Amino acid sequence: MTPMLVAVDIGNTNIHLGLFEDEKLVKHLRQRADADLDNLSLESSILEDTSNFVLASVNPRIEELFCQWLASKWGGKPLRIPKDIPLKMPILAENPERVGIDRLLNALAAFSRTQSATIVVDMGTAITVDAVSRRGEFLGGIIAPGLETFKEALHTRTAFLPRV
């Protein structure tokens, strides 16, 4: 049997896990980042068949909890991007160390598909709009509140707008 790879994306709101066989996504799991990790529904057979976990995170607290959970269930440590696996994309933003790995991976994936200058929009907890040059360089972008964040801010900061 082909060894499986689990790709883990830890965001501010959700944890996404993708189980890959070769390059094919065979299973996807999403869980809220504030949920109890012991209830993460990764079947033990998946953990047994998996020899590699790759992790990217913008949420250090949940990342640490996830890695502790993973060590207790699987016994291994995930490879972390960019700590263990360097990102092969020049970052031309003013403060490259402050750009979230989620934005960089989105940009890399978009450029890999288009092989040209690309604008990448991601709508999650935040809305990010990033630019990639025709040479595959991350140029930077903007971050704005996501729809849920925006709705909550409007409700809490105004006298008459209800929570929608």
Side-chain angles (χ1 to χ4, degrees):
M1 176 154 58
T2 305
M4 303 280 200
L5 168 74
V6 177
V8 183
D9 169 19
I10 299 177
N12 290 303
T13 305
N14 292 304
I15 300 170
H16 292 270
L17 294 101
L19 177 66
F20 289 85
E21 185 171 6
D22 294 321
E23 293 186 17
K24 183 179 180 197
L25 177 65
V26 295
K27 184 169 185 157
H28 174 259
L29 173 71
R30 181 183 74 175
Q31 176 167 327
R32 293 203 44 92
D34 58 3
D36 179 10
L37 291 178
D38 283 328
N39 293 325
L40 193 63
S41 57
L42 268 179
E43 295 90 13
S44 60
S45 63
I46 290 174
L47 292 173
E48 291 166 9
D49 293 341
T50 300
S51 58
N52 296 298
F53 276 79
V54 176
L55 182 144
S57 173
V58 296
N59 190 330
R61 185 182 69 80
I62 298 298
E63 176 183 351
E64 185 60 32
L65 291 172
F66 181 85
C67 289
Q68 289 172 5
W69 173 87
L70 186 61
S72 72
K73 302 287 185 192
W74 183 61
K77 293 172 85 173
L79 294 173
R80 298 180 192 194
I81 302 170
K83 182 179 174 185
D84 301 314
I85 301 171
L87 191 67
K88 296 181 179 177
M89 172 178 253
I91 305 167
L92 304 183
E94 192 170 311
N95 295 302
E97 69 283 351
R98 297 186 66 196
V99 178
I101 192 64
D102 55 340
R103 295 171 64 195
L104 296 172
L105 288 171
N106 285 344
L108 183 60
F111 182 77
S112 294
R113 293 192 85 172
T114 65
Q115 293 297 306
S116 65
T118 305
I119 301 293
V120 182
V121 179
D122 183 13
M123 297 177 68
T125 305
I127 296 171
T128 60
V129 180
D130 293 308
V132 181
S133 76
R134 62 184 168 82
R135 291 183 299 281
E137 303 153 324
F138 180 86
L139 300 174
I142 62 163
I143 302 175
L147 296 177
E148 292 295 321
T149 307
F150 189 66
K151 283 187 338 186
E152 189 61 27
L154 280 174
H155 169 69
T156 59
R157 299 288 183 117
T158 60
F160 294 112
L161 289 177
R163 181 172 276 118
V164 178

